[in-house]
Amino acid sequence: CLWACFWTLESWSTTSGRASFERFVRSWPNRCPLWIVTFLLSLLDFFFALDLYRHWDDESGAAYNPYVYKLYSEVREAEWNFLFAVTGVTFVVSLAWALAEIFRESRTNVGSVKSDVENYVEGLTAHVLCGLWIILVCIVTMPGGAASLLGNLYFTTWSTLFSVISTLIWYHRDWRREISKVIREEEEKYEHTKMIIRKREEKRMARMAEEEEEAKKKTSDAESTKVEEDDDGDDGILCENDPVDDDITISIGSDYPSSHTSSPERPRAHIASSD
């Protein structure tokens, strides 16, 4: 009935354009909504357990029901103390985390970002509470336990367990999301560094290619200049300082026409001698 009234009120508020309680709850930072739910359920469970512990043997309680009277009379004192301790610790711790989530937002921390130490402490707290509530439910809701009969204590005990488990699941989901975010950031950093190194190598290779091309150009220019100098120096005229080959000089002198040096020789008449 309470849930139906709340759902009707929420639907009417959303349809009429007024503020939505669900949107308001979702706007709370991090895991604040479940910590508040855990606080309320554990507080109710504590008061229900305390009321049952104090009044189960009254005349208005189980005095006229032998089965119920026998059941609660056999519940050990340690079981009641464990129930009070777990519910009390749960609503105090959950209230502390809810207040920490609500009042963390500030001008310097608009996104309500938690530190690593706070995340570790919250995760440890959620794991410890989840383990305690699993043990508690296995003890008090079994036949013969303090919350074994259907009633307020039974339902609030199970509801608080589900709330604590939901908080732990939410923590693990955010934890995995943070790990995925860190891995993605590292991959992006690696890709960025690789791109920078690749561009640097491309620039270095391009510079080396330019230097090699310039070196080849300088070498070709030097060779062409040397050939031109050799062509200019070899014009066919012997200079005084040029070495002269004697054999070439003699051959040139012998081939030179003899008319320029002496008169032509007359042919000699061959007189045949007769025997």
Side-chain angles (χ1 to χ4, degrees):
C1 182
L2 177 62
W3 177 254
C5 292
F6 173 77
W7 180 80
T8 304
L9 181 62
E10 176 69 16
S11 300
W12 176 79
S13 299
T14 306
T15 305
S16 59
R18 291 180 171 82
S20 173
F21 183 75
E22 180 182 1
R23 193 179 302 113
F24 171 68
V25 171
R26 291 183 179 275
S27 66
W28 294 341
N30 300 317
R31 290 164 288 278
C32 183
L34 275 179
W35 282 120
I36 292 177
V37 172
T38 303
F39 163 71
L40 294 175
L41 290 175
S42 59
L43 184 63
L44 289 175
D45 195 63
F46 177 81
F47 282 116
F48 287 151
L50 182 62
D51 181 71
L52 183 61
Y53 174 74
R54 295 178 60 185
H55 301 290
W56 68 267
D57 57 347
D58 292 346
E59 294 182 357
S60 59
Y64 297 99
N65 192 331
Y67 173 75
V68 176
Y69 185 85
K70 182 176 182 301
L71 187 148
Y72 285 112
S73 61
E74 293 178 353
V75 175
R76 294 174 297 178
E77 191 71 20
E79 184 175 335
W80 289 108
N81 293 333
F82 184 61
L83 177 59
F84 293 144
V86 173
T87 52
V89 169
T90 302
F91 76 75
V92 171
V93 171
S94 57
L95 177 62
W97 282 115
L99 294 177
E101 296 287 358
I102 292 174
F103 294 105
R104 179 182 294 105
E105 184 175 351
S106 62
R107 294 181 180 179
T108 58
N109 191 10
V110 180
S112 296
V113 180
K114 291 185 175 184
S115 63
D116 293 338
V117 176
E118 187 175 357
N119 278 322
Y120 295 151
V121 174
E122 184 181 9
L124 179 63
T125 303
H127 281 85
V128 171
L129 289 179
C130 186
L132 290 176
W133 274 95
I134 290 175
I135 297 173
L136 179 66
V137 168
C138 292
I139 293 175
V140 300
T141 59
M142 292 294 105
S148 58
L149 297 180
L150 292 179
N152 294 332
L153 183 60
Y154 179 84
F155 290 113
T156 53
T157 301
W158 277 105
S159 299
T160 308
L161 173 64
F162 291 147
S163 178
V164 172
I165 293 176
S166 300
T167 306
L168 182 61
I169 293 174
W170 193 343
Y171 170 79
H172 277 282
R173 186 187 65 182
D174 292 345
W175 177 58
R176 291 173 61 87
R177 185 179 300 171
E178 289 296 327
I179 294 176
S180 177
K181 181 180 177 181
V182 171
I183 294 175
R184 187 168 57 253
E185 289 177 354
E186 292 296 329
E187 289 178 352
E188 291 177 356
K189 187 185 298 184
Y190 171 74
E191 292 295 333
H192 180 68
T193 305
K194 185 170 68 174
M195 183 179 62
I196 292 175
I197 294 175
R198 185 170 59 248
K199 288 183 178 180
R200 187 184 304 166
E201 288 296 319
E202 290 177 355
K203 291 181 179 179
R204 188 176 67 85
M205 295 298 293
R207 186 171 59 253
M208 290 177 61
E210 291 178 357
E211 292 177 355
E212 185 177 357
E213 191 69 25
E214 291 178 358
K216 289 181 179 180
K217 186 176 180 181
K218 290 180 180 179
T219 304
S220 61
D221 292 343
E223 291 178 354
S224 61
T225 304
K226 184 177 180 181
V227 171
E228 291 177 358
E229 291 177 353
D230 293 341
D231 293 340
D232 293 339
D234 189 11
D235 53 357
I237 300 175
L238 296 176
C239 300
E240 295 180 355
N241 297 326
D242 292 338
V244 179
D245 192 352
D246 296 338
D247 297 336
I248 296 175
T249 306
I250 294 170
S251 64
I252 291 174
S254 62
D255 292 339
Y256 194 78
S258 60
S259 59
H260 294 280
T261 58
S262 62
S263 60
E265 295 180 358
R266 293 178 181 181
R268 296 177 181 179
H270 296 280
I271 299 174
S273 59
S274 58
D275 295 333

